[in-house]
Each structure stands twice: as C-alpha cells, then as structure tokens.
Amino acid sequence: TGELKINTKVKAQIDEDFRQRIVPNHSATHLLQAALKQILGDHIEQKGSLVEDSRLRFDFAHSKQVSSEEIIEIEDLVNLQIVKNTKSVTEVMPIEEATKKGAIAFFGEKYGEKVRVLNLGEGFSVELCGGTHVNTTGEIGLMKIVSESGISAGVRRIEAVTGIGATLLMQELEQLITSIC
C-alpha cells in the first residue's frame, strides 16, 4: 500500500500458497514440451506459454491439428514422467556447456555467459529456465489436457490442468457422465 517514489523503501513478500499452486503447472509445461517433441517431432518450438495457479497454456509451432490419439500419447508420456517421481535438478553453468547438454533455450531470448539449466525426468526435459519448480516430478500429481486448438497459422495451443485441478476436472467429468447415464 502507499505511494511509490524514488528512494522509497519497500518490502517484497512472496505469497507462498499462490506460488505452490503455480509450481506444478510450470514444471508440467517443461514435461509437455518434451513430450510434444517426442510424439510430434523435433520441429516443435515453444511460441508462448501462460502458467497460472489453476491451469497452464502452451503455444507451439506445428502445422496441423494434434489428433486425439496424439493427445492421449502426449498425456501418457507426461504422466509417466510424473509417476516416475524423479528429482528436479537445476544447475548454473556456462551457456556453451548447457548447449552441449542439449538444453533448450526459450525462443528469441538473449542469455548471459552463465545460465540456469533445469533437468526434469533424468534428461527427459533439459531447458534453460529461471523459474520455480517441483522438487520431484511426482509433486505435479497428474496432468490432463483440456483442449488443443489453432491460434494462428502454424501455431497450436494446448491448455491443461495439473494436481488438484486435474482431480477436480475428473470429478466434474465423472458427475457429467453419471448424470447422462
């Protein structure tokens, strides 16, 4: 609260509850990108993303709609990595070393001499990232893709939920199916 002026002292505070709801979605975007590359091909390139406390969105280069069979394969691959419950490993290293390790860089970004490399799934996903992540992949709980759509020529979008959000979605779907039957 108050008015911000030059030389005003401020106190920054992290909302830990909010952060803990975002963390699984952020880590899941990394697993999702790796799964997309494995299932759809190495041409997959991140074009944008949104990570919120209740969902994630991932935009990527791909020339055609992702089929329902491919969606299932992608979900299964991500959830396999989650169930393996491997440790998340972050290291700071020279950019050249990160590149040799196969780390994926974010589109259009400029990097310094040293970068932070995130490794999820014991090499399943290796990317440059300065964000906050789960300690183990199992903390994500479950990832469920909610939708896949085209947002512009050659760019697709996947929206998904993780953890309690995925559980709530499954409960809603179960109630819907029960009401129909």
Side-chain angles (χ1 to χ4, degrees):
T1 60
E3 190 177 327
L4 187 60
K5 297 178 185 174
I6 295 175
N7 296 323
T8 302
K9 289 186 180 186
V10 296
K11 180 181 177 185
Q13 191 171 332
I14 295 170
D15 181 338
E16 291 292 337
D17 291 335
F18 183 71
R19 175 178 266 186
Q20 285 311 111
R21 292 190 307 270
I22 288 174
V23 165
N25 287 329
H26 185 189
S27 295
T29 62
H30 290 275
L31 295 177
L32 177 58
Q33 177 167 252
L36 287 166
K37 282 182 169 292
Q38 193 166 326
I39 302 299
L40 302 178
D42 284 334
H43 68 281
I44 297 298
E45 179 182 299
Q46 182 176 348
K47 293 295 183 184
S49 69
L50 172 72
V51 178
E52 295 182 335
D53 60 329
S54 61
R55 68 188 181 106
L56 66 93
R57 184 177 77 206
F58 190 81
D59 301 338
F60 59 99
H62 190 58
S63 60
K64 61 183 181 176
Q65 181 176 3
V66 181
S67 72
S68 54
E69 293 82 12
E70 289 167 327
I71 293 287
I72 291 169
E73 285 182 69
I74 292 161
E75 271 186 358
D76 286 350
L77 190 51
V78 169
N79 285 313
L80 175 63
Q81 293 303 314
I82 291 169
V83 170
K84 285 182 178 180
N85 199 33
T86 58
K87 286 186 179 183
S88 298
V89 178
T90 55
E91 300 174 278
V92 175
M93 63 185 68
I95 186 79
E96 300 82 25
E97 185 180 337
T99 304
K100 286 178 188 172
K101 283 190 170 199
I104 297 171
F106 192 68
F107 66 96
E109 283 291 317
K110 303 276 188 233
Y111 296 100
E113 287 183 30
K114 292 203 173 199
V115 293
R116 187 167 179 256
V117 179
L118 171 69
N119 184 331
L120 289 172
E122 297 175 337
F124 180 76
S125 170
V126 181
E127 290 187 58
L128 305 187
C129 186
T132 183
H133 292 280
V134 294
N135 294 313
T136 62
T137 57
E139 292 174 25
I140 298 169
L142 168 74
M143 189 202 70
K144 179 69 182 149
I145 294 174
V146 176
S147 67
E148 187 278 341
S149 60
I151 59 167
S152 66
V155 180
R156 307 299 299 178
R157 171 173 287 168
I158 285 183
E159 297 188 64
V161 290
T162 65
I164 193 68
T167 302
L168 293 172
L169 175 64
M170 301 305 251
Q171 289 170 346
E172 284 178 32
L173 293 173
E174 185 178 357
Q175 287 176 351
L176 180 62
I177 290 169
T178 302
S179 71
I180 293 170
C181 295

